Amino acid sequence: MNTNQVPPPGERFNIAAHLLARNSARAAKTAFIDDRGRLSYGELDERVRRMAAALLGAGVRREERVLVLMHDGNDWPVAFLGALYAGIVPVAVNTLLTADDYAYMIAHSRAQAAIVSAPLLPVLRAALAGARHEVRQVIVSGGAPDGADARALDAVLAASVPLAACADTAGDDPGFWLYSSGSTGRPKGTVHTHANPYWTAELYGSAILGLTESDICFSAAKLFFAYGLGNALTFPLSVGATVVLMAERPTPEATFKRWIEHRPTVFFGAPTGFAGMLASPALPARDQVALRLASSAGEALPAELGARFTAHFGIEIIDGIGSTEMLHIFLSNRPGDVRYGTTGRPVPGYEIALRGDDGRPVPDGETGDLYIRGPSAALMYWGNREKSRETFQGAWTKSGDKYVRNADGTYTYSGRSDDMLKVSGIYVSPFEVEATLVQHPAVLEAAVIGVADAEGLTKTKAFVVLKPAAVVDEAGLKAFVKDRLAPYKYPRAIEFVAELPKTATGKIQRFRLRERESAR
């Protein structure tokens, strides 16, 4: 399948109206299940249109921004789709940040309103006090606010008449923002169009994952992430499936509880989460769950991890890579054609190029910078022309990842461009060393960075988290890697740690480890 075989959205297109219309005949069916109850497709339709009317009634105008700072729950899609239906631009933000981060995002986006979960209201208030911009209204989900500065979402919806028709938006109009989780500096406001979620749902959710209305989807990645937004909103709603939402952190125990209680058929996770689940003594037996498929993104999935998951549950993990800038996965394994240890092949509808430092294509077997061309690319980083030009290069998007194309057409991850190491004049992929370390039965997780020795030369150092009660020494792990990789790739030093620094998506923050080493 390519984009020419998928009917493009019409010139006038509103993604919220599109998703509601696709489910107009499923009014009684459950769309979302959260910790507080269920929301049918009919109820979703009405609440979305009430939300749209409420935002317009509060004086928020078309294309102005609304901050969405909410835990996953049934009110999240109502807030997000309600803004889109009105032609207003929701800015979905990470719920794990500081008041200073939110103050920056409020000022940067010039948000005219904020929709917030009740437990997050104190940090939002602190952010508003420190922001160089005022919002018109604060709407609180999941509780009555304790002051006159905010209104309860349920009361706001009850007082609003559902908006009869959506805003007359175009597919290329700005639809929503997602802030990228940059490793350094302030996060970048990534601007996506109304049409972009249409393309990811059609080209990946339907064509690759094969989602249908009989599926029950559950994503460990939260809705404010590009990965989670597709998994738990646009993909399932595009086919009329049911979604399980969870406000709390996706610990193994919390995840297993939903697997058993709600019987999801498709689970979306990340390598760190899969590793933690397989190491948990509470891991359910195969016959306790209803999973038919699992998806992984965020970081490359170690082959050993995928194989162990399949051996236990009898289902595949479909590993892929996406980005905030491309909205979802563009390079992926696919059901029935999984090659653990690779990221599979390009998703039909997307083109992949690997280029060297000189900008020219690299041959198979050599590491190159990953570029993507496809219909779901973001428009820009808001207010950041330099970074926009660096990333969005004509029809191509530079991902910041390093990859190798194999002879069979699959691609193997080599690490982030800024994580690659040059040891003795030869590039070393931290991920390759990490993937080898986690094959050891005692190792739960590993991260590899470069450190300078006494002569100023770069050497590899590994930070290793062991499984509970497991024992192995540094010499044993070094020998294990030497047996499996070229001699120059083994870590010259190994430090055992209790945990690794990570982003909220579970990505290892190697730059934190580098900072720690520099401070010593």
Side-chain angles (χ1 to χ4, degrees), residues 91 240 456:
V91 179

Side-chain angles (χ1 to χ4, degrees), residues 380-401:
M380 62 178 147
Y381 298 129
W382 183 265
N384 195 332
R385 179 175 291 188
E386 179 183 357
K387 288 293 184 182
S388 293
R389 285 175 168 172
E390 183 180 313
T391 299
F392 305 107
Q393 301 181 10
W396 293 90
T397 300
K398 184 177 182 180
S399 74
D401 295 289

Side-chain angles (χ1 to χ4, degrees), residues 84-110:
L84 286 162
Y85 194 85
I88 293 165
V89 178
V91 179
V93 298
N94 190 327
T95 59
L96 303 174
L97 304 180
T98 66
D100 178 64
D101 292 318
Y102 298 133
Y104 168 78
M105 292 173 177
I106 289 165
H108 181 248
S109 67
R110 297 191 288 278

Side-chain angles (χ1 to χ4, degrees), residues 15-40:
I15 185 61
H18 168 76
L19 294 174
L20 295 180
R22 281 209 168 181
N23 296 290
S24 59
R26 300 186 179 94
K29 184 181 180 184
T30 298
F32 292 96
I33 306 168
D34 70 3
D35 301 331
R36 299 167 60 196
R38 294 172 177 256
L39 186 70
S40 71

Side-chain angles (χ1 to χ4, degrees), residues 14 16-17 20 45-57 60 81-88 157 160-168:
N14 182 290
L20 295 180
D45 184 290
E46 180 178 346
R47 288 173 72 84
V48 164
R49 293 187 295 113
R50 285 181 183 271
M51 185 81 251
L55 291 171
L56 293 172
V60 184
L81 294 175
L84 286 162
Y85 194 85
I88 293 165
L157 297 183
S160 302
V161 176
L163 194 64
C166 70
D168 183 26

